[in-house]
Amino acid sequence: MLALTRPARLLFVLFLAVLLAACVPASSTPTGPATPGAQFPTTPPQTPAITVTRLTLWHAYGGALGQSFDALVQQFNQTHPTIQVESSYGGTLFTMREKLVTALAAKSGPDMAQIDQFWSSELADAGALVSLDDFIAGDASLAGADIWDKAWQTASYQGKRWSMPFALSNIALYYNKALFQKAGLDLDQPPVTWEMLAAIARQLTLDADQNGTPEQWGITMPLKANEGNVYYWLAFLWQNNGALFSDDFKAVRFDEAAGVEALQFWVDLAKKDRSLPLAPPENGFEGGKVGMAIASTARLSALRKALGPDNLGMAPLPGHKRTATGVGGANLAILSRAKDQAAAWEFIRWMTSPETNLAWSIASGYLPLRQSVVQSAAYQDYLKQTPQAQVILDQMAVAVVRPNVPAYTPVSREIGLAIEAALFTDISAQAALTAAAAKAASAIK
Protein backbone atom coordinates (compact mmCIF):
# COMPACT_ATOMS: atom_id res chain seq x y z
CA MET A 1 0.00 0.00 0.00
CA LEU A 2 1.24 3.39 -0.93
CA ALA A 3 2.39 5.28 2.15
CA LEU A 4 1.25 8.91 2.29
CA THR A 5 3.08 11.70 3.93
CA ARG A 6 1.25 13.68 6.65
CA PRO A 7 0.35 16.65 4.38
CA ALA A 8 -0.87 14.29 1.70
CA ARG A 9 -3.09 12.44 4.18
CA LEU A 10 -4.73 15.70 5.24
CA LEU A 11 -5.51 16.68 1.63
CA PHE A 12 -6.96 13.19 0.98
CA VAL A 13 -9.32 13.46 3.99
CA LEU A 14 -10.56 16.87 2.84
CA PHE A 15 -11.16 15.49 -0.68
CA LEU A 16 -13.26 12.60 0.70
CA ALA A 17 -15.33 15.00 2.83
CA VAL A 18 -16.15 17.19 -0.16
CA LEU A 19 -16.98 14.14 -2.30
CA LEU A 20 -19.34 12.68 0.31
CA ALA A 21 -21.10 16.02 0.74
CA ALA A 22 -21.67 16.23 -3.00
CA CYS A 23 -23.26 12.79 -3.05
CA VAL A 24 -25.94 13.66 -0.45
CA PRO A 25 -29.14 14.84 -2.24
CA ALA A 26 -30.27 18.36 -1.38
CA SER A 27 -33.70 18.70 0.32
CA SER A 28 -35.71 21.68 1.46
CA THR A 29 -37.73 19.41 3.77
CA PRO A 30 -36.36 19.11 7.28
CA THR A 31 -35.43 15.61 8.40
CA GLY A 32 -37.24 13.88 11.22
CA PRO A 33 -38.30 10.49 12.51
CA ALA A 34 -39.63 8.13 9.86
CA THR A 35 -43.13 7.85 11.25
CA PRO A 36 -45.59 6.39 8.73
CA GLY A 37 -48.03 9.04 7.48
CA ALA A 38 -46.24 11.88 9.26
CA GLN A 39 -46.14 15.27 7.45
CA PHE A 40 -43.84 18.11 8.20
CA PRO A 41 -45.44 21.52 8.72
CA THR A 42 -45.13 24.00 5.89
CA THR A 43 -45.69 27.81 5.93
CA PRO A 44 -48.26 28.98 3.33
CA PRO A 45 -47.33 31.97 1.19
CA GLN A 46 -48.38 35.25 2.82
CA THR A 47 -50.69 37.67 0.93
CA PRO A 48 -49.76 41.26 1.67
CA ALA A 49 -52.47 42.94 3.76
CA ILE A 50 -54.44 45.68 1.95
CA THR A 51 -54.58 48.94 3.82
CA VAL A 52 -58.05 50.43 3.52
CA THR A 53 -58.67 54.12 4.18
CA ARG A 54 -62.18 54.65 5.49
CA LEU A 55 -63.69 58.10 5.10
CA THR A 56 -67.01 59.57 6.19
CA LEU A 57 -69.12 61.95 4.11
CA TRP A 58 -72.19 63.99 5.05
CA HIS A 59 -74.62 65.16 2.39
CA ALA A 60 -78.00 66.86 2.22
CA TYR A 61 -79.57 64.97 -0.68
CA GLY A 62 -82.85 63.32 0.18
CA GLY A 63 -85.31 61.29 -1.86
CA ALA A 64 -84.41 60.36 -5.42
CA LEU A 65 -81.38 62.69 -5.46
CA GLY A 66 -80.08 61.00 -2.33
CA GLN A 67 -80.44 57.59 -3.90
CA SER A 68 -78.56 58.72 -7.01
CA PHE A 69 -75.82 60.29 -4.90
CA ASP A 70 -75.39 57.21 -2.70
CA ALA A 71 -75.29 55.02 -5.80
CA LEU A 72 -72.31 57.04 -7.07
CA VAL A 73 -70.56 56.65 -3.72
CA GLN A 74 -71.07 52.88 -3.87
CA GLN A 75 -69.71 52.80 -7.40
CA PHE A 76 -66.61 54.62 -6.20
CA ASN A 77 -66.17 52.10 -3.38
CA GLN A 78 -66.43 49.20 -5.79
CA THR A 79 -63.75 50.63 -8.07
CA HIS A 80 -61.45 51.86 -5.28
CA PRO A 81 -60.96 48.96 -2.84
CA THR A 82 -58.31 50.83 -0.84
CA ILE A 83 -60.59 53.84 -0.22
CA GLN A 84 -64.04 53.25 1.22
CA VAL A 85 -66.43 56.15 1.73
CA GLU A 86 -69.40 55.95 4.08
CA SER A 87 -72.02 58.52 3.12
CA SER A 88 -74.85 59.59 5.40
CA TYR A 89 -77.75 62.00 5.08
CA GLY A 90 -77.27 65.03 7.30
CA GLY A 91 -80.70 66.59 6.78
CA THR A 92 -81.59 69.56 4.62
CA LEU A 93 -78.86 72.11 4.00
CA PHE A 94 -80.57 74.38 6.53
CA THR A 95 -80.31 71.77 9.30
CA MET A 96 -77.11 70.10 8.15
CA ARG A 97 -75.16 73.31 8.56
CA GLU A 98 -76.10 73.45 12.24
CA LYS A 99 -75.17 69.80 12.66
CA LEU A 100 -71.85 70.32 10.92
CA VAL A 101 -70.92 73.46 12.86
CA THR A 102 -71.80 71.76 16.15
CA ALA A 103 -69.71 68.72 15.26
CA LEU A 104 -66.72 70.82 14.24
CA ALA A 105 -66.89 72.77 17.50
CA ALA A 106 -66.70 69.44 19.33
CA LYS A 107 -63.69 68.44 17.18
CA SER A 108 -65.66 65.70 15.47
CA GLY A 109 -67.65 65.42 12.29
CA PRO A 110 -66.99 63.85 8.89
CA ASP A 111 -63.89 63.76 6.72
CA MET A 112 -65.78 65.30 3.81
CA ALA A 113 -69.04 67.15 3.34
CA GLN A 114 -71.35 68.37 0.66
CA ILE A 115 -71.66 72.06 1.46
CA ASP A 116 -73.80 74.86 0.19
CA GLN A 117 -71.80 77.10 -2.07
CA PHE A 118 -71.62 80.08 0.26
CA TRP A 119 -70.41 78.11 3.30
CA SER A 120 -66.81 78.11 2.06
CA SER A 121 -65.87 81.51 3.48
CA GLU A 122 -67.32 80.89 6.92
CA LEU A 123 -65.79 77.43 7.27
CA ALA A 124 -62.45 78.60 5.86
CA ASP A 125 -62.25 81.41 8.41
CA ALA A 126 -62.91 78.85 11.14
CA GLY A 127 -60.00 76.73 9.90
CA ALA A 128 -62.38 73.88 9.15
CA LEU A 129 -61.59 73.40 5.46
CA VAL A 130 -58.60 72.23 3.47
CA SER A 131 -57.63 74.51 0.59
CA LEU A 132 -57.87 72.53 -2.63
CA ASP A 133 -55.48 74.75 -4.60
CA ASP A 134 -52.58 72.27 -4.58
CA PHE A 135 -54.82 69.36 -5.54
CA ILE A 136 -56.45 71.35 -8.35
CA ALA A 137 -53.08 72.59 -9.60
CA GLY A 138 -51.94 68.97 -9.91
CA ASP A 139 -54.78 68.11 -12.26
CA ALA A 140 -54.59 69.84 -15.63
CA SER A 141 -58.23 68.99 -16.40
CA LEU A 142 -59.41 71.13 -13.49
CA ALA A 143 -57.27 74.22 -13.89
CA GLY A 144 -58.59 75.47 -17.22
CA ALA A 145 -61.58 77.48 -18.29
CA ASP A 146 -63.58 74.39 -19.24
CA ILE A 147 -65.35 74.47 -15.88
CA TRP A 148 -67.89 77.28 -15.64
CA ASP A 149 -66.35 80.40 -14.15
CA LYS A 150 -69.45 80.89 -12.02
CA ALA A 151 -68.92 77.42 -10.58
CA TRP A 152 -65.37 78.36 -9.56
CA GLN A 153 -66.74 81.56 -8.00
CA THR A 154 -68.87 79.51 -5.64
CA ALA A 155 -65.75 77.75 -4.33
CA SER A 156 -63.44 80.75 -4.04
CA TYR A 157 -62.70 82.99 -1.08
CA GLN A 158 -59.79 85.40 -0.59
CA GLY A 159 -57.95 84.06 -3.62
CA LYS A 160 -58.16 80.37 -2.68
CA ARG A 161 -60.45 77.52 -3.64
CA TRP A 162 -61.92 75.87 -0.57
CA SER A 163 -64.29 73.40 -2.16
CA MET A 164 -64.86 71.65 -5.46
CA PRO A 165 -67.98 72.47 -7.50
CA PHE A 166 -70.12 69.37 -7.85
CA ALA A 167 -73.70 70.27 -8.74
CA LEU A 168 -74.66 73.36 -10.71
CA SER A 169 -78.20 74.67 -11.10
CA ASN A 170 -80.30 77.81 -11.33
CA ILE A 171 -83.92 78.80 -10.73
CA ALA A 172 -86.56 78.32 -13.41
CA LEU A 173 -90.31 78.40 -13.93
CA TYR A 174 -92.11 75.08 -14.39
CA TYR A 175 -95.69 74.89 -15.59
CA ASN A 176 -98.36 72.26 -16.15
CA LYS A 177 -99.32 72.29 -19.81
CA ALA A 178 -102.63 70.51 -19.22
CA LEU A 179 -103.73 73.16 -16.72
CA PHE A 180 -102.56 75.89 -19.09
CA GLN A 181 -104.67 74.42 -21.83
CA LYS A 182 -107.76 74.14 -19.61
CA ALA A 183 -107.35 77.81 -18.67
CA GLY A 184 -107.14 78.82 -22.33
CA LEU A 185 -103.48 79.83 -22.05
CA ASP A 186 -100.94 79.51 -24.84
CA LEU A 187 -98.69 76.53 -24.09
CA ASP A 188 -95.82 78.19 -25.91
CA GLN A 189 -96.16 81.55 -24.15
CA PRO A 190 -95.20 81.17 -20.50
CA PRO A 191 -94.90 84.42 -18.51
CA VAL A 192 -91.74 86.46 -19.06
CA THR A 193 -92.42 89.38 -16.67
CA TRP A 194 -93.66 89.77 -13.10
CA GLU A 195 -96.90 91.27 -14.37
CA MET A 196 -97.53 88.34 -16.70
CA LEU A 197 -96.63 85.89 -13.95
CA ALA A 198 -99.19 87.43 -11.59
CA ALA A 199 -101.88 87.58 -14.30
CA ILE A 200 -101.44 83.96 -15.37
CA ALA A 201 -101.30 82.82 -11.73
CA ARG A 202 -104.68 84.50 -11.13
CA GLN A 203 -106.10 82.84 -14.22
CA LEU A 204 -104.94 79.44 -13.02
CA THR A 205 -106.43 79.90 -9.55
CA LEU A 206 -109.87 78.30 -9.18
CA ASP A 207 -112.26 78.71 -6.23
CA ALA A 208 -115.48 77.27 -7.58
CA ASP A 209 -117.43 77.35 -4.30
CA GLN A 210 -116.14 80.82 -3.37
CA ASN A 211 -115.24 79.67 0.14
CA GLY A 212 -111.86 81.40 0.08
CA THR A 213 -109.90 78.17 -0.31
CA PRO A 214 -109.09 77.52 -3.96
CA GLU A 215 -109.27 74.02 -5.35
CA GLN A 216 -106.44 74.95 -7.69
CA TRP A 217 -103.68 77.53 -7.19
CA GLY A 218 -101.72 79.48 -9.70
CA ILE A 219 -98.15 79.23 -8.43
CA THR A 220 -95.98 77.80 -5.68
CA MET A 221 -92.42 78.39 -4.47
CA PRO A 222 -90.45 77.86 -1.24
CA LEU A 223 -91.78 80.34 1.33
CA LYS A 224 -90.16 79.30 4.61
CA ALA A 225 -86.65 79.95 5.84
CA ASN A 226 -85.86 76.27 6.35
CA GLU A 227 -86.95 75.64 2.75
CA GLY A 228 -84.39 78.10 1.43
CA ASN A 229 -86.82 80.91 0.61
CA VAL A 230 -84.02 83.50 0.57
CA TYR A 231 -82.33 81.83 -2.41
CA TYR A 232 -85.46 82.30 -4.52
CA TRP A 233 -86.28 85.77 -3.21
CA LEU A 234 -82.78 87.04 -4.02
CA ALA A 235 -83.48 86.41 -7.71
CA PHE A 236 -86.44 88.80 -7.47
CA LEU A 237 -84.27 91.33 -5.64
CA TRP A 238 -81.68 91.22 -8.43
CA GLN A 239 -84.38 91.41 -11.11
CA ASN A 240 -85.51 94.64 -9.47
CA ASN A 241 -81.95 96.03 -9.64
CA GLY A 242 -81.58 95.57 -5.90
CA ALA A 243 -78.47 94.66 -3.94
CA LEU A 244 -77.88 92.47 -0.93
CA PHE A 245 -74.79 94.25 0.41
CA SER A 246 -72.91 97.47 -0.18
CA ASP A 247 -69.91 97.12 -2.46
CA ASP A 248 -67.53 96.73 0.49
CA PHE A 249 -69.83 94.21 2.26
CA LYS A 250 -69.84 96.36 5.39
CA ALA A 251 -73.52 97.25 5.16
CA VAL A 252 -76.75 95.69 3.87
CA ARG A 253 -79.03 97.11 1.20
CA PHE A 254 -81.77 94.52 0.88
CA ASP A 255 -84.17 96.73 2.89
CA GLU A 256 -84.09 99.47 0.28
CA ALA A 257 -87.01 100.15 -2.09
CA ALA A 258 -85.97 97.40 -4.53
CA GLY A 259 -86.09 94.78 -1.79
CA VAL A 260 -89.36 95.98 -0.34
CA GLU A 261 -91.00 95.91 -3.77
CA ALA A 262 -89.71 92.38 -4.43
CA LEU A 263 -91.08 91.09 -1.12
CA GLN A 264 -94.36 92.97 -1.60
CA PHE A 265 -94.79 91.20 -4.95
CA TRP A 266 -94.71 87.87 -3.09
CA VAL A 267 -97.08 89.16 -0.42
CA ASP A 268 -99.57 90.33 -3.05
CA LEU A 269 -99.52 86.95 -4.78
CA ALA A 270 -100.33 85.27 -1.48
CA LYS A 271 -102.69 87.70 0.27
CA LYS A 272 -104.21 89.86 -2.45
CA ASP A 273 -104.47 87.52 -5.43
CA ARG A 274 -104.58 84.36 -3.32
CA SER A 275 -102.83 82.54 -6.14
CA LEU A 276 -99.80 81.62 -4.00
CA PRO A 277 -100.84 79.17 -1.24
CA LEU A 278 -99.28 79.77 2.17
CA ALA A 279 -100.17 76.20 3.10
CA PRO A 280 -99.80 74.42 -0.23
CA PRO A 281 -101.09 70.89 -0.65
CA GLU A 282 -98.39 68.27 -0.41
CA ASN A 283 -96.84 67.76 -3.82
CA GLY A 284 -99.37 70.24 -5.16
CA PHE A 285 -97.58 70.96 -8.41
CA GLU A 286 -96.76 67.30 -9.01
CA GLY A 287 -100.35 66.36 -8.25
CA GLY A 288 -101.89 68.84 -10.66
CA LYS A 289 -103.30 71.21 -8.00
CA VAL A 290 -100.91 74.07 -8.78
CA GLY A 291 -100.36 75.44 -12.27
CA MET A 292 -96.81 76.82 -11.96
CA ALA A 293 -93.81 76.33 -9.71
CA ILE A 294 -90.69 78.40 -9.21
CA ALA A 295 -88.04 75.86 -8.28
CA SER A 296 -84.48 74.74 -8.77
CA THR A 297 -83.56 73.23 -12.11
CA ALA A 298 -82.26 70.30 -10.05
CA ARG A 299 -85.88 69.17 -9.80
CA LEU A 300 -86.22 68.68 -13.55
CA SER A 301 -85.81 64.92 -13.53
CA ALA A 302 -88.28 64.38 -10.68
CA LEU A 303 -90.88 66.72 -12.16
CA ARG A 304 -90.65 65.14 -15.61
CA LYS A 305 -91.36 61.83 -13.96
CA ALA A 306 -94.27 63.20 -11.93
CA LEU A 307 -96.05 65.19 -14.66
CA GLY A 308 -94.88 63.31 -17.72
CA PRO A 309 -92.22 64.59 -20.10
CA ASP A 310 -94.74 66.03 -22.56
CA ASN A 311 -96.91 67.73 -19.93
CA LEU A 312 -94.09 69.55 -18.13
CA GLY A 313 -93.32 73.02 -19.41
CA MET A 314 -90.16 74.82 -18.35
CA ALA A 315 -89.16 78.43 -18.96
CA PRO A 316 -86.64 81.01 -17.75
CA LEU A 317 -87.51 82.79 -14.54
CA PRO A 318 -89.73 85.79 -15.42
CA GLY A 319 -87.89 89.09 -15.13
CA HIS A 320 -88.71 92.64 -14.16
CA LYS A 321 -86.29 95.51 -14.65
CA ARG A 322 -83.73 92.94 -15.75
CA THR A 323 -83.57 89.18 -16.12
CA ALA A 324 -81.69 87.25 -13.47
CA THR A 325 -81.63 83.90 -11.76
CA GLY A 326 -79.58 82.45 -8.94
CA VAL A 327 -76.67 80.04 -9.12
CA GLY A 328 -77.42 77.01 -7.01
CA GLY A 329 -76.14 73.55 -6.43
CA ALA A 330 -73.55 72.29 -4.00
CA ASN A 331 -69.83 71.71 -3.61
CA LEU A 332 -67.69 68.99 -2.05
CA ALA A 333 -65.19 69.92 0.64
CA ILE A 334 -62.43 68.22 2.62
CA LEU A 335 -62.54 69.06 6.30
CA SER A 336 -59.36 69.81 8.21
CA ARG A 337 -59.85 66.76 10.41
CA ALA A 338 -59.86 64.36 7.45
CA LYS A 339 -57.86 61.22 8.16
CA ASP A 340 -56.32 61.15 4.69
CA GLN A 341 -56.58 64.29 2.56
CA ALA A 342 -55.11 62.61 -0.52
CA ALA A 343 -57.68 59.81 -0.36
CA ALA A 344 -60.46 62.35 0.15
CA TRP A 345 -59.29 64.28 -2.90
CA GLU A 346 -59.24 61.08 -4.96
CA PHE A 347 -62.92 60.62 -4.10
CA ILE A 348 -63.80 64.24 -4.96
CA ARG A 349 -61.77 64.06 -8.15
CA TRP A 350 -63.68 60.94 -9.21
CA MET A 351 -67.07 62.39 -8.28
CA THR A 352 -66.40 65.49 -10.39
CA SER A 353 -64.75 63.71 -13.31
CA PRO A 354 -66.37 64.25 -16.72
CA GLU A 355 -67.83 60.74 -16.83
CA THR A 356 -69.26 60.75 -13.32
CA ASN A 357 -70.51 64.32 -13.53
CA LEU A 358 -72.25 63.57 -16.83
CA ALA A 359 -74.06 60.61 -15.28
CA TRP A 360 -75.02 62.68 -12.24
CA SER A 361 -76.28 65.58 -14.38
CA ILE A 362 -78.44 63.38 -16.58
CA ALA A 363 -79.88 61.52 -13.59
CA SER A 364 -80.67 64.67 -11.62
CA GLY A 365 -81.13 67.60 -13.98
CA TYR A 366 -78.08 69.51 -12.76
CA LEU A 367 -75.95 71.26 -15.35
CA PRO A 368 -72.59 69.58 -16.09
CA LEU A 369 -69.62 71.41 -14.63
CA ARG A 370 -67.62 71.32 -17.84
CA GLN A 371 -68.64 73.06 -21.02
CA SER A 372 -66.91 70.30 -22.97
CA VAL A 373 -69.31 67.81 -21.35
CA VAL A 374 -72.25 70.02 -22.33
CA GLN A 375 -71.00 69.83 -25.93
CA SER A 376 -70.44 66.07 -25.79
CA ALA A 377 -72.54 63.77 -27.93
CA ALA A 378 -73.99 62.11 -24.85
CA TYR A 379 -75.27 65.35 -23.33
CA GLN A 380 -76.49 66.67 -26.68
CA ASP A 381 -78.53 63.48 -27.01
CA TYR A 382 -79.88 64.14 -23.52
CA LEU A 383 -80.93 67.65 -24.56
CA LYS A 384 -82.79 66.21 -27.55
CA GLN A 385 -84.64 63.79 -25.28
CA THR A 386 -85.09 66.40 -22.52
CA PRO A 387 -85.58 69.74 -24.29
CA GLN A 388 -86.56 71.45 -21.02
CA ALA A 389 -82.92 71.20 -19.89
CA GLN A 390 -81.91 73.78 -22.48
CA VAL A 391 -83.38 76.40 -20.13
CA ILE A 392 -80.70 75.62 -17.53
CA LEU A 393 -77.98 76.20 -20.08
CA ASP A 394 -79.52 79.37 -21.51
CA GLN A 395 -79.96 80.97 -18.09
CA MET A 396 -76.29 80.70 -17.12
CA ALA A 397 -75.69 83.98 -18.95
CA VAL A 398 -77.90 85.84 -16.44
CA ALA A 399 -77.18 83.71 -13.37
CA VAL A 400 -75.89 85.55 -10.29
CA VAL A 401 -73.56 83.96 -7.73
CA ARG A 402 -74.39 84.67 -4.11
CA PRO A 403 -71.55 86.54 -2.38
CA ASN A 404 -69.07 84.15 -0.81
CA VAL A 405 -68.39 86.18 2.33
CA PRO A 406 -68.79 85.12 5.98
CA ALA A 407 -71.57 87.67 6.55
CA TYR A 408 -73.83 86.01 4.00
CA THR A 409 -74.93 83.16 6.27
CA PRO A 410 -76.25 85.20 9.21
CA VAL A 411 -77.65 87.90 6.92
CA SER A 412 -79.47 85.42 4.68
CA ARG A 413 -81.03 83.79 7.73
CA GLU A 414 -82.41 87.10 8.92
CA ILE A 415 -83.84 87.73 5.45
CA GLY A 416 -85.43 84.29 5.39
CA LEU A 417 -87.17 84.94 8.68
CA ALA A 418 -88.30 88.39 7.47
CA ILE A 419 -89.86 86.83 4.36
CA GLU A 420 -91.74 84.40 6.61
CA ALA A 421 -92.93 87.24 8.83
CA ALA A 422 -94.27 89.29 5.93
CA LEU A 423 -96.09 86.30 4.46
CA PHE A 424 -97.45 84.60 7.56
CA THR A 425 -98.10 87.54 9.92
CA ASP A 426 -99.54 91.04 9.67
CA ILE A 427 -96.16 92.80 9.61
CA SER A 428 -95.54 94.81 6.43
CA ALA A 429 -92.82 93.99 3.94
CA GLN A 430 -91.04 97.23 4.82
CA ALA A 431 -91.16 96.62 8.57
CA ALA A 432 -90.01 93.02 8.21
CA LEU A 433 -86.98 93.93 6.11
CA THR A 434 -86.12 96.93 8.26
CA ALA A 435 -86.02 94.74 11.36
CA ALA A 436 -83.97 92.13 9.54
CA ALA A 437 -81.51 94.79 8.36
CA ALA A 438 -80.94 95.95 11.94
CA LYS A 439 -80.18 92.39 13.07
CA ALA A 440 -78.02 91.81 9.99
CA ALA A 441 -75.97 94.93 10.76
CA SER A 442 -75.17 93.53 14.20
CA ALA A 443 -74.17 90.22 12.64
CA ILE A 444 -71.81 91.95 10.23
CA LYS A 445 -70.09 93.82 13.08
Side-chain angles (χ1 to χ4, degrees):
M1 182 176 181
L2 179 64
L4 299 174
T5 63
R6 181 178 176 83
R9 286 199 300 270
L10 289 174
L11 289 173
F12 182 69
V13 171
L14 291 172
F15 171 75
L16 288 176
V18 173
L19 182 63
L20 289 172
C23 294
V24 177
S27 173
S28 61
T29 304
T31 59
T35 303
Q39 296 182 353
F40 294 101
T42 59
T43 302
Q46 297 294 318
T47 301
I50 298 177
T51 301
V52 178
T53 300
R54 300 189 181 277
L55 302 172
T56 53
L57 166 70
W58 288 0
H59 68 84
Y61 290 120
L65 279 179
Q67 294 174 6
S68 297
F69 185 83
D70 286 335
L72 287 180
V73 175
Q74 292 306 313
Q75 186 178 346
F76 173 85
N77 289 339
Q78 293 170 6
T79 56
H80 295 75
T82 61
I83 306 174
Q84 295 295 288
V85 176
E86 179 185 352
S87 64
S88 60
Y89 176 64
T92 66
L93 283 172
F94 191 89
T95 57
M96 192 183 111
R97 178 188 170 276
E98 299 297 333
K99 178 180 177 181
L100 183 61
V101 170
T102 300
L104 293 175
K107 300 187 184 303
S108 61
D111 299 286
M112 299 175 290
Q114 172 219 354
I115 65 172
D116 210 342
Q117 295 163 333
F118 59 88
W119 294 1
S120 295
S121 58
E122 183 182 16
L123 294 176
D125 277 351
L129 295 184
V130 174
S131 170
L132 301 184
D133 282 344
D134 290 342
F135 291 115
I136 292 172
D139 190 329
S141 68
L142 296 178
D146 192 27
I147 291 180
W148 296 93
D149 179 65
K150 291 177 181 178
W152 283 130
Q153 289 179 35
T154 68
S156 302
Y157 172 59
Q158 292 187 342
K160 292 186 177 181
R161 291 167 178 167
W162 296 97
S163 59
M164 182 63 199
F166 170 66
L168 196 61
S169 63
N170 49 57
I171 305 168
L173 176 73
Y174 298 94
Y175 59 98
N176 186 316
K177 290 184 177 182
L179 297 185
F180 260 53
Q181 190 171 33
K182 287 181 181 179
L185 296 166
D186 189 338
L187 301 184
D188 297 321
Q189 293 294 323
V192 295
T193 65
W194 288 9
E195 292 76 15
M196 291 178 65
L197 180 68
I200 290 178
R202 288 193 296 269
Q203 195 167 343
L204 289 167
T205 301
L206 303 177
D207 184 9
D209 56 11
Q210 298 294 313
N211 67 350
T213 302
E215 299 82 42
Q216 177 180 298
W217 286 266
I219 188 169
T220 187
M221 66 184 83
L223 300 179
K224 296 182 179 180
N226 64 357
E227 296 172 345
N229 59 5
V230 65
Y231 170 55
Y232 298 89
W233 179 78
L234 281 175
F236 285 78
L237 174 69
W238 294 324
Q239 288 176 355
N240 204 28
N241 285 335
L244 180 57
F245 291 101
S246 60
D247 292 341
D248 59 5
F249 298 103
K250 293 182 179 180
V252 297
R253 295 185 54 194
F254 62 81
D255 59 328
E256 296 176 356
V260 175
E261 290 172 5
L263 181 52
Q264 188 62 48
F265 178 69
W266 281 27
V267 172
D268 288 345
L269 288 174
K271 296 181 178 182
K272 181 181 177 182
D273 297 346
R274 293 184 304 169
S275 58
L276 172 65
L278 295 176
E282 185 175 1
N283 297 321
F285 181 68
E286 294 90 331
K289 294 183 178 180
V290 181
M292 298 182 290
I294 291 175
S296 169
T297 55
R299 295 195 61 197
L300 174 58
S301 180
L303 292 179
R304 273 173 56 89
K305 183 177 181 180
L307 270 71
D310 296 330
N311 189 39
L312 178 67
M314 187 174 177
L317 193 63
H320 192 49
K321 295 177 181 177
R322 57 175 286 206
T323 56
T325 186
V327 174
N331 295 3
L332 297 176
I334 301 174
L335 301 182
S336 300
R337 68 175 304 276
K339 292 183 286 291
D340 189 326
Q341 294 181 10
W345 171 250
E346 178 59 28
F347 169 76
I348 291 177
R349 183 179 182 276
W350 184 88
M351 288 288 281
T352 57
S353 66
E355 298 79 12
T356 306
N357 188 246
L358 172 64
W360 166 253
S361 299
I362 290 177
S364 62
Y366 281 108
L367 183 68
L369 298 177
R370 291 168 174 79
Q371 298 184 57
S372 60
V373 174
V374 171
Q375 299 303 321
S376 68
Y379 193 76
Q380 290 299 309
D381 286 343
Y382 166 75
L383 287 178
K384 291 177 182 177
Q385 299 170 12
T386 313
Q388 297 97 332
Q390 186 66 41
V391 172
I392 313 172
L393 184 59
D394 293 343
Q395 286 200 125
M396 285 303 294
V398 297
V400 181
V401 179
R402 289 166 287 177
N404 215 340
V405 293
Y408 177 82
T409 297
V411 169
S412 66
R413 291 195 166 221
E414 294 300 338
I415 296 174
L417 295 174
I419 294 170
E420 277 191 7
L423 288 168
F424 294 95
T425 73
D426 293 332
I427 190 173
S428 68
Q430 177 70 75
L433 291 180
T434 298
K439 294 178 181 178
S442 298
I444 291 177
K445 292 180 182 179

